[in-house]
Coordinates of all heavy atoms in Angstrom, one line a residue:
T206 N 102.4 83.4 130.4 CA 102.6 84.8 130.2 C 101.9 85.4 131.4 O 100.8 85.1 131.8 CB 101.9 85.3 129.0 OG1 102.5 84.7 127.9 CG2 102.0 86.8 128.8
E207 N 102.6 86.3 132.1 CA 102.0 87.1 133.2 C 102.1 88.5 132.9 O 103.1 89.0 132.4 CB 102.8 86.7 134.5 CG 102.7 85.3 134.9 CD 103.6 85.0 136.1 OE1 103.8 85.9 136.9 OE2 104.0 83.9 136.2
T208 N 101.1 89.3 133.2 CA 101.1 90.7 133.0 C 100.9 91.4 134.4 O 99.9 91.1 135.1 CB 100.0 91.2 132.1 OG1 100.2 90.5 130.8 CG2 100.1 92.7 131.8
T209 N 101.9 92.1 134.8 CA 101.8 92.9 136.0 C 102.1 94.3 135.7 O 102.3 94.7 134.5 CB 102.8 92.4 137.0 OG1 104.1 92.5 136.4 CG2 102.6 90.9 137.4
H210 N 102.1 95.2 136.7 CA 102.4 96.6 136.4 C 103.6 97.0 137.2 O 103.8 96.6 138.3 CB 101.1 97.4 136.8 CG 99.9 97.1 136.0 ND1 99.7 97.7 134.8 CD2 98.9 96.2 136.1 CE1 98.6 97.2 134.2 NE2 98.1 96.3 135.0
R211 N 104.4 97.8 136.6 CA 105.7 98.2 137.2 C 105.5 98.9 138.6 O 106.2 98.7 139.5 CB 106.4 99.2 136.3 CG 107.0 98.5 135.1 CD 107.9 99.5 134.4 NE 108.3 99.0 133.1 CZ 109.3 98.1 132.8 NH1 110.0 97.7 133.8 NH2 109.5 97.7 131.6
D212 N 104.4 99.6 138.7 CA 104.2 100.3 140.0 C 103.2 99.5 140.9 O 102.8 99.9 141.9 CB 103.6 101.7 139.8 CG 102.3 101.7 139.0 OD1 101.7 100.6 138.8 OD2 101.8 102.8 138.7
G213 N 102.8 98.3 140.5 CA 102.0 97.4 141.3 C 100.5 97.8 141.3 O 99.7 97.3 142.0
Q214 N 100.1 98.8 140.5 CA 98.7 99.3 140.5 C 98.1 99.2 139.1 O 98.8 99.2 138.1 CB 98.7 100.8 140.9 CG 99.3 101.0 142.3 CD 99.3 102.5 142.7 OE1 98.7 103.3 142.0 NE2 100.0 102.8 143.7
Q215 N 96.8 99.1 139.1 CA 96.1 99.1 137.8 C 96.4 100.4 137.1 O 96.5 101.5 137.7 CB 94.6 99.0 138.0 CG 94.2 97.6 138.3 CD 94.3 96.7 137.1 OE1 95.4 96.3 136.7 NE2 93.2 96.3 136.6
G216 N 96.6 100.4 135.8 CA 96.8 101.6 135.1 C 98.3 102.0 135.0 O 98.6 102.9 134.3
G217 N 99.1 101.2 135.7 CA 100.5 101.5 135.6 C 101.1 100.9 134.3 O 100.4 100.4 133.4
L218 N 102.4 101.1 134.1 CA 103.0 100.6 132.9 C 103.0 99.1 132.9 O 103.5 98.5 133.8 CB 104.4 101.1 132.8 CG 104.6 102.6 132.6 CD1 106.0 103.0 132.7 CD2 104.0 103.1 131.3
P219 N 102.5 98.4 131.8 CA 102.5 96.9 131.8 C 103.9 96.4 131.7 O 104.7 96.9 130.9 CB 101.6 96.6 130.6 CG 101.7 97.8 129.7 CD 101.9 99.0 130.6
L220 N 104.1 95.3 132.4 CA 105.4 94.6 132.3 C 105.0 93.1 132.1 O 104.5 92.5 132.9 CB 106.1 94.7 133.7 CG 107.4 93.8 133.8 CD1 108.5 94.2 132.8 CD2 107.9 93.9 135.2
T221 N 105.2 92.7 130.8 CA 104.8 91.3 130.5 C 106.0 90.4 130.4 O 107.1 90.8 129.9 CB 104.1 91.4 129.1 OG1 103.1 92.3 129.1 CG2 103.5 90.0 128.8
V222 N 105.9 89.3 131.0 CA 107.0 88.3 131.1 C 106.6 87.0 130.5 O 105.4 86.6 130.5 CB 107.5 88.2 132.5 CG1 108.1 89.5 133.0 CG2 106.5 87.7 133.4
E223 N 107.6 86.3 130.0 CA 107.4 84.9 129.5 C 108.0 84.0 130.5 O 109.2 84.2 131.0 CB 108.1 84.7 128.2 CG 107.4 85.5 127.0 CD 105.9 85.0 126.8 OE1 105.7 83.9 126.5 OE2 105.0 85.9 127.0
T224 N 107.3 82.9 130.8 CA 107.8 81.9 131.7 C 108.0 80.6 130.9 O 107.5 80.5 129.8 CB 106.9 81.7 132.9 OG1 105.6 81.2 132.5 CG2 106.7 82.9 133.7
K225 N 108.5 79.5 131.6 CA 108.7 78.3 130.9 C 107.3 77.7 130.4 O 107.3 77.0 129.4 CB 109.3 77.3 131.9 CG 109.7 76.0 131.2 CD 110.5 75.1 132.2 CE 110.9 73.8 131.5 NZ 111.8 73.0 132.3
E226 N 106.3 78.0 131.1 CA 104.9 77.5 130.7 C 104.2 78.3 129.7 O 103.1 78.0 129.3 CB 104.1 77.4 132.0 CG 104.5 76.3 133.0 CD 105.7 76.7 133.8 OE1 105.9 78.0 134.1 OE2 106.5 75.9 134.2
S227 N 104.7 79.5 129.3 CA 104.0 80.4 128.4 C 103.7 79.8 127.0 O 102.7 80.0 126.5 CB 104.8 81.7 128.2 OG 104.9 82.3 129.4
G228 N 104.7 79.1 126.4 CA 104.5 78.5 125.1 C 104.4 79.5 124.0 O 104.5 80.7 124.2
L229 N 104.0 79.0 122.8 CA 103.9 79.8 121.6 C 102.8 80.8 121.8 O 102.9 81.9 121.4 CB 103.6 78.9 120.4 CG 104.8 78.1 119.9 CD1 104.4 77.2 118.8 CD2 105.9 79.1 119.4
A230 N 101.6 80.4 122.4 CA 100.5 81.3 122.5 C 100.9 82.5 123.4 O 100.5 83.6 123.1 CB 99.3 80.5 123.1
G231 N 101.6 82.2 124.4 CA 102.0 83.3 125.3 C 103.0 84.3 124.6 O 102.9 85.5 124.7
L232 N 103.9 83.7 123.8 CA 104.8 84.6 123.0 C 104.1 85.4 122.0 O 104.3 86.6 121.9 CB 105.9 83.7 122.3 CG 106.9 84.4 121.5 CD1 107.7 85.4 122.3 CD2 107.8 83.4 120.8
I233 N 103.1 84.8 121.3 CA 102.3 85.5 120.3 C 101.5 86.6 121.0 O 101.4 87.8 120.5 CB 101.4 84.6 119.6 CG1 102.3 83.7 118.7 CG2 100.4 85.3 118.7 CD1 101.6 82.5 118.1
F234 N 101.0 86.4 122.2 CA 100.2 87.4 122.9 C 101.1 88.6 123.3 O 100.7 89.7 123.1 CB 99.6 86.7 124.2 CG 99.0 87.8 125.1 CD1 97.8 88.3 124.9 CD2 99.7 88.2 126.3 CE1 97.2 89.2 125.8 CE2 99.2 89.2 127.1 CZ 97.9 89.6 126.9
V235 N 102.3 88.3 123.8 CA 103.2 89.4 124.1 C 103.6 90.2 122.9 O 103.6 91.4 123.0 CB 104.5 88.8 124.8 CG1 105.5 89.9 125.0 CG2 104.1 88.2 126.2
V236 N 103.9 89.6 121.8 CA 104.2 90.3 120.6 C 103.1 91.2 120.1 O 103.3 92.4 119.8 CB 104.6 89.3 119.4 CG1 104.8 90.0 118.1 CG2 105.9 88.6 119.8
K237 N 101.9 90.7 120.2 CA 100.7 91.5 119.8 C 100.5 92.6 120.7 O 100.2 93.8 120.3 CB 99.4 90.6 119.7 CG 98.2 91.4 119.2 CD 97.0 90.6 119.1 CE 95.9 91.4 118.6 NZ 94.6 90.7 118.5
Q238 N 100.7 92.4 122.0 CA 100.5 93.4 123.0 C 101.5 94.6 122.8 O 101.1 95.7 123.0 CB 100.7 92.8 124.4 CG 100.4 93.8 125.5 CD 100.6 93.1 126.9 OE1 101.4 92.2 127.0 NE2 99.9 93.6 127.9
H239 N 102.7 94.3 122.4 CA 103.7 95.3 122.4 C 103.9 95.9 121.0 O 104.5 97.0 120.8 CB 105.1 94.8 122.9 CG 105.1 94.6 124.4 ND1 105.3 95.6 125.2 CD2 104.8 93.5 125.2 CE1 105.2 95.2 126.5 NE2 104.9 93.9 126.5
T240 N 103.5 95.1 119.9 CA 103.8 95.6 118.6 C 102.5 95.8 117.7 O 102.6 96.5 116.7 CB 104.7 94.6 117.8 OG1 103.9 93.4 117.5 CG2 106.0 94.3 118.5
G241 N 101.4 95.2 118.1 CA 100.2 95.3 117.3 C 100.2 94.2 116.2 O 99.2 94.1 115.6
H242 N 101.2 93.4 116.1 CA 101.3 92.3 115.1 C 100.8 91.0 115.7 O 101.3 90.7 116.8 CB 102.7 92.2 114.6 CG 103.2 93.3 113.8 ND1 102.9 93.5 112.5 CD2 104.0 94.4 114.2 CE1 103.5 94.7 112.1 NE2 104.1 95.2 113.1
E243 N 99.9 90.3 115.0 CA 99.5 89.0 115.5 C 100.1 88.0 114.6 O 99.7 87.9 113.4 CB 98.0 88.9 115.5 CG 97.6 87.6 116.2 CD 96.1 87.5 116.5 OE1 95.4 88.5 116.4 OE2 95.6 86.5 116.9
L244 N 101.2 87.3 115.0 CA 101.9 86.4 114.2 C 101.3 85.0 114.4 O 100.9 84.6 115.5 CB 103.4 86.4 114.6 CG 104.1 87.8 114.4 CD1 105.5 87.7 115.0 CD2 104.1 88.2 113.0
P245 N 101.3 84.2 113.3 CA 100.9 82.8 113.5 C 101.9 81.9 114.2 O 103.1 82.3 114.2 CB 100.7 82.3 112.0 CG 101.6 83.1 111.2 CD 101.7 84.5 111.9
K246 N 101.5 80.8 114.8 CA 102.4 80.0 115.5 C 103.5 79.4 114.5 O 104.6 79.0 115.0 CB 101.7 78.8 116.1 CG 100.9 79.2 117.3 CD 100.2 78.0 117.9 CE 99.4 78.4 119.2 NZ 98.7 77.3 119.8
T247 N 103.2 79.3 113.3 CA 104.1 78.8 112.3 C 105.1 79.8 111.7 O 106.0 79.4 110.9 CB 103.3 78.2 111.1 OG1 102.5 79.2 110.5 CG2 102.4 77.0 111.5
D248 N 105.0 81.0 112.1 CA 105.9 82.1 111.7 C 107.4 81.7 112.1 O 107.6 81.3 113.2 CB 105.6 83.4 112.3 CG 106.4 84.6 111.7 OD1 107.6 84.7 112.2 OD2 105.9 85.3 110.9
P249 N 108.3 81.7 111.1 CA 109.7 81.3 111.4 C 110.3 82.1 112.6 O 111.1 81.6 113.4 CB 110.4 81.6 110.1 CG 109.4 81.5 109.1 CD 108.1 82.0 109.7
L250 N 110.0 83.4 112.7 CA 110.5 84.2 113.8 C 110.0 83.8 115.1 O 110.7 83.7 116.1 CB 110.2 85.7 113.5 CG 110.8 86.7 114.5 CD1 112.3 86.6 114.6 CD2 110.3 88.1 114.2
V251 N 108.7 83.5 115.2 CA 108.1 83.0 116.4 C 108.8 81.6 116.8 O 109.1 81.4 118.0 CB 106.6 82.8 116.3 CG1 106.0 82.1 117.5 CG2 105.9 84.2 116.1
Q252 N 108.9 80.8 115.8 CA 109.6 79.5 116.1 C 111.0 79.6 116.6 O 111.4 79.0 117.6 CB 109.6 78.6 114.8 CG 108.2 78.2 114.4 CD 107.6 77.2 115.3 OE1 108.2 76.3 115.8 NE2 106.3 77.3 115.5
K253 N 111.7 80.5 116.0 CA 113.1 80.8 116.4 C 113.2 81.3 117.8 O 114.1 80.8 118.6 CB 113.8 81.7 115.4 CG 115.2 82.1 115.7 CD 115.7 83.1 114.7 CE 117.1 83.5 115.0 NZ 117.7 84.5 114.1
I254 N 112.4 82.2 118.1 CA 112.4 82.8 119.5 C 111.9 81.8 120.5 O 112.5 81.7 121.6 CB 111.7 84.2 119.5 CG1 112.4 85.1 118.6 CG2 111.6 84.7 120.9 CD1 111.7 86.4 118.3
A255 N 110.9 81.1 120.2 CA 110.4 80.1 121.1 C 111.5 79.0 121.4 O 111.6 78.6 122.5 CB 109.1 79.4 120.5
D256 N 112.2 78.6 120.3 CA 113.3 77.7 120.5 C 114.4 78.3 121.4 O 114.9 77.6 122.3 CB 113.9 77.3 119.2 CG 113.0 76.4 118.3 OD1 112.0 75.9 118.9 OD2 113.3 76.3 117.1
W257 N 114.7 79.5 121.2 CA 115.7 80.2 122.1 C 115.2 80.2 123.6 O 116.0 79.9 124.5 CB 116.0 81.6 121.6 CG 116.7 82.4 122.6 CD1 118.1 82.3 122.8 CD2 116.2 83.4 123.5 NE1 118.5 83.2 123.8 CE2 117.3 83.9 124.3 CE3 115.0 83.9 123.8 CZ2 117.2 84.8 125.3 CZ3 114.8 84.8 124.8 CH2 115.9 85.3 125.5
M258 N 113.9 80.6 123.8 CA 113.4 80.6 125.1 C 113.4 79.2 125.8 O 113.8 79.1 126.9 CB 111.9 81.1 125.1 CG 111.8 82.6 124.8 SD 110.1 83.2 124.5 CE 109.3 82.5 125.9
N259 N 113.1 78.2 125.0 CA 113.1 76.8 125.5 C 114.5 76.4 125.9 O 114.7 75.8 127.0 CB 112.5 75.8 124.5 CG 111.0 76.0 124.4 OD1 110.3 76.4 125.3 ND2 110.5 75.7 123.2
Q260 N 115.5 76.8 125.1 CA 116.9 76.5 125.4 C 117.3 77.2 126.7 O 118.0 76.6 127.6 CB 117.8 76.9 124.3 CG 117.7 76.0 123.1 CD 118.6 76.5 122.0 OE1 119.3 77.6 122.1 NE2 118.7 75.7 120.9
E261 N 116.9 78.4 126.9 CA 117.2 79.2 128.1 C 116.7 78.4 129.3 O 117.4 78.2 130.3 CB 116.6 80.6 128.1 CG 117.2 81.5 127.1 CD 118.6 82.0 127.6 OE1 118.6 82.6 128.8 OE2 119.6 81.8 126.9
F262 N 115.4 78.0 129.3 CA 114.8 77.3 130.4 C 115.4 75.9 130.6 O 115.6 75.5 131.7 CB 113.3 77.3 130.3 CG 112.7 78.7 130.5 CD1 111.9 79.3 129.4 CD2 112.9 79.5 131.6 CE1 111.4 80.5 129.6 CE2 112.4 80.7 131.7 CZ 111.6 81.3 130.7
D263 N 115.6 75.2 129.5 CA 116.2 73.9 129.5 C 117.6 73.9 130.1 O 118.0 72.9 130.7 CB 116.2 73.2 128.2 CG 114.8 72.8 127.7 OD1 113.9 72.9 128.5 OD2 114.7 72.6 126.4
H264 N 118.3 75.0 130.0 CA 119.7 75.1 130.5 C 119.7 75.7 131.9 O 120.7 76.2 132.4 CB 120.6 75.9 129.5 CG 120.9 75.1 128.3 ND1 120.3 75.4 127.1 CD2 121.7 74.0 128.1 CE1 120.8 74.5 126.2 NE2 121.6 73.7 126.8
G265 N 118.6 75.7 132.5 CA 118.5 76.1 134.0 C 118.0 77.5 134.3 O 118.0 77.9 135.5
R266 N 117.6 78.3 133.3 CA 117.1 79.6 133.6 C 115.9 79.5 134.5 O 115.0 78.7 134.3 CB 116.8 80.4 132.4 CG 116.3 81.8 132.6 CD 116.1 82.6 131.4 NE 115.6 83.9 131.7 CZ 116.0 85.0 131.0 NH1 116.7 84.9 129.9 NH2 115.5 86.2 131.4
Q267 N 115.9 80.3 135.6 CA 114.8 80.3 136.6 C 114.0 81.6 136.5 O 112.9 81.6 137.0 CB 115.4 80.1 138.0 CG 116.1 78.8 138.2 CD 115.2 77.6 138.1 OE1 114.1 77.6 138.6 NE2 115.6 76.6 137.3
T268 N 114.6 82.6 135.9 CA 113.9 83.9 135.9 C 113.0 84.0 134.6 O 113.4 83.4 133.6 CB 114.9 85.1 135.9 OG1 115.8 84.9 134.9 CG2 115.6 85.0 137.3
A269 N 112.0 84.8 134.7 CA 111.1 85.0 133.5 C 111.9 85.9 132.5 O 112.8 86.6 132.9 CB 109.8 85.7 134.0
I270 N 111.4 85.8 131.3 CA 112.0 86.7 130.2 C 111.0 87.8 130.0 O 109.9 87.7 129.6 CB 112.1 85.9 128.9 CG1 113.1 84.6 129.2 CG2 112.7 86.7 127.8 CD1 113.1 83.7 128.0
E271 N 111.6 89.0 130.2 CA 110.7 90.2 130.1 C 110.8 90.8 128.7 O 111.7 90.4 127.9 CB 111.2 91.3 131.0 CG 111.1 91.0 132.5 CD 111.5 92.1 133.4 OE1 111.7 93.2 133.0 OE2 111.7 91.8 134.6
W272 N 109.8 91.6 128.3 CA 109.7 92.2 127.0 C 111.0 92.9 126.6 O 111.5 92.8 125.5 CB 108.5 93.1 126.8 CG 108.5 93.8 125.5 CD1 108.8 95.1 125.2 CD2 108.4 93.2 124.2 NE1 108.7 95.3 123.9 CE2 108.5 94.2 123.2 CE3 108.1 91.9 123.8 CZ2 108.3 93.9 121.9 CZ3 108.0 91.6 122.4 CH2 108.1 92.6 121.5
D273 N 111.6 93.6 127.6 CA 112.9 94.3 127.3 C 113.9 93.4 126.7 O 114.7 93.8 125.9 CB 113.4 95.0 128.5 CG 112.6 96.3 128.8 OD1 111.9 96.8 128.0 OD2 112.7 96.8 130.0
E274 N 113.9 92.1 127.1 CA 114.9 91.2 126.6 C 114.4 90.6 125.3 O 115.2 90.3 124.4 CB 115.1 90.0 127.6 CG 116.2 89.1 127.3 CD 116.4 88.1 128.4 OE1 115.8 88.2 129.5 OE2 117.2 87.2 128.2
L275 N 113.1 90.4 125.1 CA 112.6 89.8 123.9 C 112.6 90.8 122.7 O 112.8 90.4 121.6 CB 111.1 89.4 124.1 CG 110.9 88.1 124.8 CD1 109.4 87.9 125.1 CD2 111.5 86.9 124.1
K276 N 112.4 92.1 123.0 CA 112.2 93.0 121.9 C 113.4 93.1 120.9 O 113.2 93.4 119.7 CB 111.9 94.4 122.4 CG 112.9 95.2 123.1 CD 112.4 96.5 123.6 CE 113.4 97.2 124.4 NZ 112.8 98.4 125.0
G277 N 114.6 92.8 121.4 CA 115.8 92.8 120.5 C 115.6 91.7 119.4 O 116.1 91.9 118.3
H278 N 114.9 90.6 119.7 CA 114.7 89.6 118.7 C 113.7 90.0 117.7 O 113.6 89.4 116.6 CB 114.2 88.3 119.4 CG 115.3 87.7 120.4 ND1 116.3 86.9 119.9 CD2 115.4 87.8 121.7 CE1 117.0 86.6 120.9 NE2 116.5 87.1 122.0
F279 N 112.9 91.0 118.0 CA 111.9 91.5 117.1 C 112.2 92.8 116.4 O 111.3 93.5 116.0 CB 110.5 91.6 117.8 CG 109.9 90.3 118.2 CD1 110.1 89.8 119.5 CD2 109.2 89.5 117.3 CE1 109.6 88.6 119.9 CE2 108.7 88.3 117.7 CZ 108.9 87.8 119.0
A280 N 113.5 93.1 116.3 CA 113.9 94.5 115.9 C 113.3 94.8 114.5 O 112.8 95.9 114.3 CB 115.4 94.5 115.8
E281 N 113.4 93.8 113.6 CA 112.8 94.1 112.2 C 111.3 94.3 112.3 O 110.8 95.2 111.6 CB 113.1 92.9 111.3 CG 112.7 93.1 109.9 CD 113.1 91.9 109.0 OE1 114.3 91.4 109.1 OE2 112.3 91.5 108.2
L282 N 110.6 93.6 113.0 CA 109.2 93.7 113.2 C 108.8 95.1 113.8 O 107.9 95.7 113.4 CB 108.6 92.6 114.0 CG 107.1 92.5 114.2 CD1 106.4 92.2 112.9 CD2 106.8 91.4 115.2
L283 N 109.6 95.5 114.8 CA 109.3 96.7 115.4 C 109.6 98.0 114.6 O 109.1 99.0 114.8 CB 110.2 96.8 116.7 CG 109.8 95.8 117.8 CD1 110.8 95.9 118.9 CD2 108.4 96.1 118.3
S284 N 110.4 97.8 113.6 CA 110.8 98.9 112.7 C 109.7 99.3 111.7 O 109.7 100.3 111.0 CB 112.1 98.7 112.0 OG 112.0 97.7 111.1
V285 N 108.7 98.4 111.6 CA 107.6 98.6 110.6 C 106.4 99.2 111.3 O 106.0 98.6 112.3 CB 107.2 97.2 110.0 CG1 106.1 97.4 109.0 CG2 108.4 96.6 109.3
P286 N 105.9 100.3 110.9 CA 104.8 100.9 111.6 C 103.6 100.0 111.5 O 103.3 99.3 110.5 CB 104.5 102.2 110.8 CG 105.7 102.4 109.9 CD 106.4 101.1 109.8
T287 N 102.8 99.9 112.6 CA 101.7 99.0 112.7 C 100.4 99.8 112.3 O 99.4 99.2 112.0 CB 101.5 98.4 114.1 OG1 101.3 99.5 115.0 CG2 102.7 97.6 114.4
Q288 N 100.4 101.1 112.3 CA 99.2 101.9 112.0 C 99.6 103.1 111.2 O 100.7 103.6 111.4 CB 98.5 102.3 113.2 CG 97.9 101.2 114.1 CD 97.3 101.8 115.3 OE1 97.3 103.0 115.6 NE2 96.6 100.9 116.0
T289 N 98.8 103.5 110.2 CA 99.0 104.7 109.5 C 98.0 105.7 109.8 O 96.8 105.4 109.7 CB 99.0 104.4 107.9 OG1 99.9 103.3 107.7 CG2 99.3 105.6 107.2
K290 N 98.4 106.8 110.3 CA 97.4 107.9 110.6 C 97.0 108.6 109.3 O 97.9 109.0 108.5 CB 97.9 108.8 111.6 CG 98.1 108.2 113.0 CD 98.6 109.2 114.0 CE 98.7 108.5 115.4 NZ 99.0 109.4 116.4
V291 N 95.8 108.9 109.2 CA 95.3 109.7 108.0 C 94.9 111.1 108.6 O 94.1 111.2 109.5 CB 94.1 109.0 107.4 CG1 93.6 109.9 106.2 CG2 94.4 107.6 106.9
H292 N 95.5 112.1 108.0 CA 95.2 113.4 108.4 C 94.2 114.0 107.4 O 94.4 113.9 106.3 CB 96.5 114.3 108.5 CG 97.5 113.8 109.5 ND1 97.3 114.0 110.8 CD2 98.6 113.1 109.3 CE1 98.3 113.4 111.4 NE2 99.1 112.9 110.5
G293 N 93.1 114.6 108.0 CA 92.1 115.1 107.1 C 92.0 116.6 107.0 O 92.7 117.4 107.4

């Protein structure tokens, strides 16, 4: 997992990508960074997406997988609010 910034500067918008070497831990990190959910390595969704990523790289993919591409796989997870605000 590599985290860079779209504008190349600290404080810019984070752009997180997955590479062939990222593995499950890298995928879980990216999910937590973008959704606030920390999923276990044994989660079926994590396993399914990790398998898809491995297939992509095994079939010759050379480019990293960005969050914009991954987020579609997490649509159900993204539709659930991660925090509830309490108004006083």
Side-chain angles (χ1 to χ4, degrees):
T206 302
E207 298 177 25
T208 302
T209 56
H210 296 274
R211 288 188 192 276
D212 61 5
Q214 299 176 11
Q215 284 289 70
L218 297 173
L220 172 64
T221 308
V222 297
E223 291 299 298
T224 63
K225 187 174 184 176
E226 292 78 28
S227 297
L229 287 173
L232 180 58
I233 290 168
F234 171 80
V235 169
V236 172
K237 184 176 180 183
Q238 182 180 30
H239 288 276
T240 70
H242 294 277
E243 187 166 355
L244 302 174
K246 290 181 178 182
T247 57
D248 186 283
L250 183 58
V251 170
Q252 294 290 323
K253 180 180 175 182
I254 295 169
D256 289 345
W257 169 77
M258 288 172 49
N259 288 331
Q260 286 179 354
E261 288 285 304
F262 292 120
D263 289 347
H264 288 105
R266 182 176 180 144
Q267 298 295 313
T268 58
I270 300 171
E271 296 183 14
W272 175 249
D273 284 344
E274 189 174 355
L275 283 175
K276 69 183 175 184
H278 295 279
F279 290 98
E281 185 176 316
L282 184 65
L283 292 171
S284 67
V285 178
T287 58
Q288 297 179 351
T289 304
K290 292 185 178 182
V291 178
H292 297 283

